[in-house]
Amino acid sequence: MVRRVVAAVGFLVLLIVIVLIVNSCQNSARKSALKNYNNSVSSLIQESDQTGASLFSLLSKGASSNVSSLQNSLDEARVNADTQLSKAKSLDVPDEMKPAQTNLLLALQMRRDAIANVAAQIQPALGTSTSKDAVNAIAAQMARAYASDVVYKDYTTPLIAKALHSVGIAVGGSNGESIQSGQFVTDLGWLTPSFVATKLGAHVPAAAGGKPTPGLHGHTLDSVSVSGTTLDPSSTNTVTATPPPTFTLHFTNGGQHNETNVVCKVTVSGTSVTGQTVVPQTTAGQSTTCNVTLKSSPPTGSQTVTATISPVLGEKNTANNTQSYPVTFQ
């Protein structure tokens, strides 16, 4: 009888040990799955943030870039964002992380859509006649991208932390799991159309019916130089065609008022090669410069280069806004 009791107790102890071992293994596997998910999300957000950095770098080059080339680069950024979203959709998601996963996918979808919509608006925003609607639309997409930061940082990461805590995994500190904070939009200026226009080098015309401040308005183009050499309007100037040259326009605000969003343009006669940039503000009575890089290399040979400071609202005398130069590109 005693032997039977001892045997039964031994069996029960063995069973308990087995259960404890199984539970321990399951708990360990569960913790590993949660940690793996968090690590995968961190890697994806780092990739996504890098795509954002590339996006804003491309846009900041704006009018100094070839529009078609810029369009292609933006399309590549959209493809990268698509890839990141696809990777997120294929993650192995533990049950505890499913609420976080829903928000992660939303954030990455918002980023992907924002990039795609910016790419769709870049040509009209940088066209010969800038579309104010296109610039406004780009600013609106930046708001979407910033909203993705809110979704990720205020909703996704707290849910990841909650899931980790639920199984006793420490978060933060020297020994805890690190959760990637991430930031796609690092400058909130991108949410305003005027900032977007300045970064792109796009000139948004003043609203119809706008009235200038009473007094004298306007600029005088004083001279144009390339690589430190001032161009001569009365004799042939030699300029290297490749890479696309940068023309420095020296001009003076001869009016009584500071002017904003002043457009500098350079065109090459007989070609579609142009360049444009925007000076955010000029000061009354003061001289300044702007650098205009052609969007592509001009054809070699003799051409006429025309530089212009576009008239501002209220400017009446525009005869001194433009100068032309005979140039041999080689």
Side-chain angles (χ1 to χ4, degrees), residues 82-151:
D82 265 334
T83 300
Q84 289 146 18
L85 178 59
S86 296
K87 287 181 179 178
K89 289 179 178 178
S90 66
L91 290 178
D92 186 5
V93 185
D95 289 342
E96 296 89 344
M97 290 293 189
K98 286 183 177 178
Q101 173 74 358
T102 298
N103 287 287
L104 173 68
L105 294 180
L106 175 60
L108 293 177
Q109 180 73 55
M110 294 171 78
R111 294 180 179 189
R112 181 267 173 209
D113 291 348
I115 295 173
N117 291 331
V118 167
Q121 295 295 335
I122 199 64
Q123 298 240 18
L126 290 176
T128 304
S129 178
T130 298
S131 168
K132 183 176 181 180
D133 289 342
V135 171
N136 289 341
I138 289 174
Q141 293 309 313
M142 295 307 178
R144 184 197 298 266
Y146 178 66
S148 77
D149 284 330
V150 175
V151 170

Side-chain angles (χ1 to χ4, degrees), residues 157-181:
T157 59
L159 289 170
I160 290 175
K162 181 181 178 181
L164 293 172
H165 283 141
S166 71
V167 295
I169 299 174
V171 175
S174 57
N175 297 318
E177 289 295 299
S178 176
I179 297 176
Q180 181 68 29
S181 57

Side-chain angles (χ1 to χ4, degrees), residues 63-64 198 200-202 262-265 275-279 290-293:
S64 65
T198 299
L200 292 177
V262 179
V263 181
C264 304
K265 295 181 179 179
Q276 175 177 302
T277 192
V278 176
V279 178
C290 58
N291 293 318
V292 180
T293 302

Side-chain angles (χ1 to χ4, degrees), residues 128-284:
T128 304
S129 178
T130 298
S131 168
K132 183 176 181 180
D133 289 342
V135 171
N136 289 341
I138 289 174
Q141 293 309 313
M142 295 307 178
R144 184 197 298 266
Y146 178 66
S148 77
D149 284 330
V150 175
V151 170
Y152 177 71
K153 298 177 79 170
D154 288 0
Y155 295 89
T156 308
T157 59
L159 289 170
I160 290 175
K162 181 181 178 181
L164 293 172
H165 283 141
S166 71
V167 295
I169 299 174
V171 175
S174 57
N175 297 318
E177 289 295 299
S178 176
I179 297 176
Q180 181 68 29
S181 57
Q183 186 72 37
F184 192 83
V185 180
T186 57
D187 189 337
L188 296 187
W190 284 102
L191 277 63
T192 60
S194 59
F195 184 91
V196 170
T198 299
K199 282 292 189 179
L200 292 177
H203 174 59
V204 179
K211 294 182 179 181
T213 305
L216 185 64
H217 294 263
H219 300 90
T220 297
L221 178 59
D222 302 314
S223 63
V224 178
S225 61
V226 178
S227 300
T229 300
T230 300
L231 300 183
D232 187 341
S234 61
S235 63
T236 301
N237 305 272
T238 302
V239 175
T240 301
T242 303
T246 296
F247 294 82
T248 301
L249 281 59
H250 306 258
F251 64 104
T252 301
N253 180 336
Q256 299 170 314
H257 304 279
N258 297 344
E259 306 291 353
T260 59
N261 294 330
V262 179
V263 181
C264 304
K265 295 181 179 179
V266 174
T267 60
V268 179
S269 64
T271 74
S272 60
V273 179
T274 63
Q276 175 177 302
T277 192
V278 176
V279 178
Q281 179 172 292
T282 63
T283 303

